[in-house]
Amino acid sequence: MTKLTLSGGVPPDSLSPNQEAPMETLAEIRSSAMSRFQVMAVVIALTLILIDGFDVAAMAYAAPVLSREWGIAPAALGFLLSASLFGMAAGSIFLTPLADKIGRRRLTLISLVVISIGMVASVFATDATQLLVFRIVTGLGVGGMMANLNVLVSEYSSDKRRGSIMGIYTAGYPIGATIGGIVAGPLIPSLGWQSLFAVGAVLTIIMLVVSWVWLPESLDYLFTRRPAGALGRVNNILAKIGRPALDTLPASTATGKEQSAIREILTGPIRFRTFMLWAGYGCLVAAYYFANTWTPKIIAGVTGDNSAGVTTGTIANAGGILGCFVFSALAVRYRARPLLVIALLGSAAAYIVFSMLFSQITLAMVLALFLGMLTTAGIAGFYTVSPEIYSARARATGVGWMIGLGRLVSIVAPILVGYLLSGGWKPENIFVLFAAPLAASALCILALGHSLKRQARTAQPVAATVS
């Protein structure tokens, strides 16, 4: 068979079955049952996000022992707990866009190398300053990789299974954090806090090898960016999925896509919705990361038992896993936006109740389950609601910036808590304080819904006239 050039292309009405347009190919893949190759790609991505959760949460579980061994004051500990979050924000904003130029697979591999370096170096840190730098490096790799995994999971999932798989994907992070707590409980007392970072380093390096061998490239990237050998790489993936090979890739028509996407999310009524997403998500993750990073330390301080702190943090992360699955199940029957508002208001109430009961350790552990469940359900809700706000052209930019800017806000929370504790604030008052941004996040989603309803009312007469 004679192959056509990559820069060529043929009229749509003359395409043979083996020369179908890329979008038609992708649409058929996504409307069909998932192949074994697609399942493998999704499983690798889910495992990577699980390892991310383990690596980021390691600092929270090591904090009680580390602060005692090195004599770290609460304010300085807040900076240590925020270090990986700062790296994640920088990675999301500055590294993730490189995926559009060098490929999502390649950026994921680079990010895994960066994470491995950060985790290995953390094992050998000798003071707080060194550990701070190494945690920033680790977070940089995590932030650079996570947005790529979102795209890969969405692309290689079928339309029928995408909602369920994205719910499981969202749960991967707290699953990894929960495993970290389970491992930290017996490991740190016997082998020291360094052992937890060593386990994370080994797991990350293993997944680097697995990803190098089996993680596929994004089909969307191969179709649109046309790197060297794109046609052969596309056909190799299509063969593994069980699809016929293409004879050519039609000429690219992308022009000014990135600029148009930015203009869409920051102009007209979309701008207001974008700001509501940014503010709402920022408020949520500020409260979420405060609880995730400081709860083990606070509980350990109140009870005088480091194991109690680790156990409470583990239970909260386990609640996060449950929250993702509960939200995904309810979203099948109910609209995601009202569910998100309920989760946010429930989270605010849970923080207030937790502030009243956390000195009673048994009740605190039970309530930590609900606290983790509601806040993580809120994150799953934002992941579900935000893509619907934008067109396909601007969706990645809108959602990616929401996550990146939210992480920037989340950096402030653990640092602020460190200063508040040093200034004499009681832990219970801090939990009440962070109930406020959760309520504010719910108000942002209500305002977002009002904007969408107003647009729908305005569009109805136009639709009626056309019909």
Side-chain angles (χ1 to χ4, degrees):
M1 180 180 295
T2 302
K3 296 291 184 181
L4 300 179
T5 63
L6 290 180
S7 60
V10 292
D13 56 359
S14 64
L15 285 173
S16 70
N18 287 346
Q19 294 172 311
E20 57 195 312
M23 295 311 298
E24 294 174 354
T25 302
L26 293 176
E28 289 192 12
I29 290 173
R30 290 163 183 168
S31 63
S32 304
M34 291 179 65
S35 65
R36 182 178 298 178
F37 177 80
Q38 290 170 269
V39 172
M40 178 198 70
V42 169
V43 168
I44 291 175
L46 292 175
T47 306
L48 289 174
I49 196 67
L50 184 149
I51 299 299
D52 286 348
F54 183 103
D55 291 347
V56 173
M59 187 65 234
Y61 295 123
V65 174
L66 189 63
S67 62
R68 186 177 65 250
E69 287 186 7
W70 286 355
I72 301 175
L77 186 61
F79 280 96
L80 268 178
L81 292 171
S82 283
S84 61
L85 303 182
F86 178 82
M88 289 169 66
S92 297
I93 295 172
F94 298 113
L95 283 186
T96 298
L98 293 177
D100 291 331
K101 298 180 179 180
I102 67 175
R104 301 197 180 279
R105 167 187 157 85
R106 183 176 297 178
L107 182 61
T108 298
L109 295 175
I110 292 172
S111 298
L112 281 168
V113 171
V114 174
I115 297 169
S116 300
I117 292 172
M119 292 298 290
V120 171
S122 296
V123 175
F124 300 99
T126 57
D127 58 45
T129 301
Q130 288 184 7
L131 188 57
L132 177 76
V133 173
F134 300 149
R135 294 303 294 163
I136 291 175
V137 172
T138 302
L140 187 69
V142 172
M145 183 170 66
M146 289 179 69
N148 297 318
L149 298 181
N150 283 337
V151 173
L152 283 172
V153 170
S154 179
E155 178 179 336
Y156 282 106
S157 300
S158 66
D159 292 336
K160 183 178 181 180
R161 302 295 182 189
R162 184 170 294 112
S164 299
I165 290 173
M166 288 306 296
I168 297 172
Y169 172 81
T170 307
Y173 189 92
I175 289 174
T178 302
I179 293 174
I182 294 172
V183 172
L187 199 64
I188 292 178
S190 57
L191 298 177
W193 60 266
Q194 295 93 338
S195 60
L196 190 60
F197 293 105
V199 171
V202 170
L203 293 175
T204 303
I205 293 170
I206 290 173
M207 286 310 302
L208 171 61
V209 175
V210 170
S211 300
W212 181 276
V213 176
W214 286 295
L215 184 69
E217 182 55 271
S218 161
L219 279 173
D220 282 328
Y221 167 78
L222 294 173
F223 278 134
T224 57
R225 298 296 297 187
R226 315 297 176 85
L231 181 59
R233 295 169 70 183
V234 166
N235 284 334
N236 183 44
I237 294 174
L238 292 179
K240 293 176 180 178
I241 294 177
R243 304 293 306 171
L246 300 176
D247 291 328
T248 185
L249 296 178
S252 176
T253 58
T255 57
K257 183 175 181 180
E258 292 182 14
Q259 184 178 5
S260 298
I262 294 172
R263 186 163 55 244
E264 175 179 325
I265 70 173
L266 294 178
T267 58
I270 300 297
R271 177 175 55 194
F272 173 79
R273 296 163 199 164
T274 294
F275 289 160
M276 289 300 98
L277 284 174
W278 288 356
Y281 186 72
C283 287
L284 168 61
V285 296
Y288 173 83
Y289 279 109
F290 148 64
N292 264 31
T293 56
W294 273 102
T295 296
K297 171 64 176 173
I298 289 175
I299 295 297
V302 170
T303 62
D305 183 358
N306 290 335
S307 296
V310 171
T311 301
T312 305
T314 304
I315 291 174
N317 281 305
I321 300 169
L322 180 61
C324 290
F325 290 120
V326 169
F327 185 92
S328 297
L330 291 175
V332 173
R333 183 170 183 179
Y334 303 102
R335 291 186 299 130
R337 208 164 51 245
L339 288 175
L340 175 55
V341 173
I342 292 172
L344 292 169
L345 293 177
S347 298
Y351 272 55
I352 293 172
V353 175
F354 191 79
S355 72
M356 301 174 182
L357 300 177
F358 78 87
S359 59
Q360 303 177 41
I361 189 61
T362 302
L363 289 176
M365 288 182 177
V366 173
L367 189 59
L369 181 74
F370 290 96
L371 190 149
M373 182 175 70
L374 290 165
T375 52
T376 311
I379 292 176
F382 269 96
Y383 286 174
T384 303
V385 168
S386 56
E388 301 172 358
I389 305 303
Y390 306 107
S391 69
R393 180 187 62 192
R395 191 165 295 145
T397 300
V399 176
W401 281 19
M402 178 193 78
I403 295 174
L405 292 171
R407 286 175 182 153
L408 283 176
V409 175
S410 70
I411 296 168
V412 178
I415 296 174
L416 173 64
V417 172
Y419 279 109
L420 291 176
L421 290 173
S422 296
W425 274 58
K426 295 182 179 179
E428 56 266 33
N429 293 336
I430 296 177
F431 276 94
V432 175
L433 174 67
F434 276 94
L438 290 167
S441 181
L443 292 177
C444 289
I445 297 303
L446 289 172
L448 175 68
H450 178 73
S451 175
L452 292 171
K453 290 178 181 178
R454 185 170 56 188
Q455 179 191 29
R457 288 195 300 267
T458 304
Q460 284 176 354
V462 177
T465 301
V466 173
S467 63

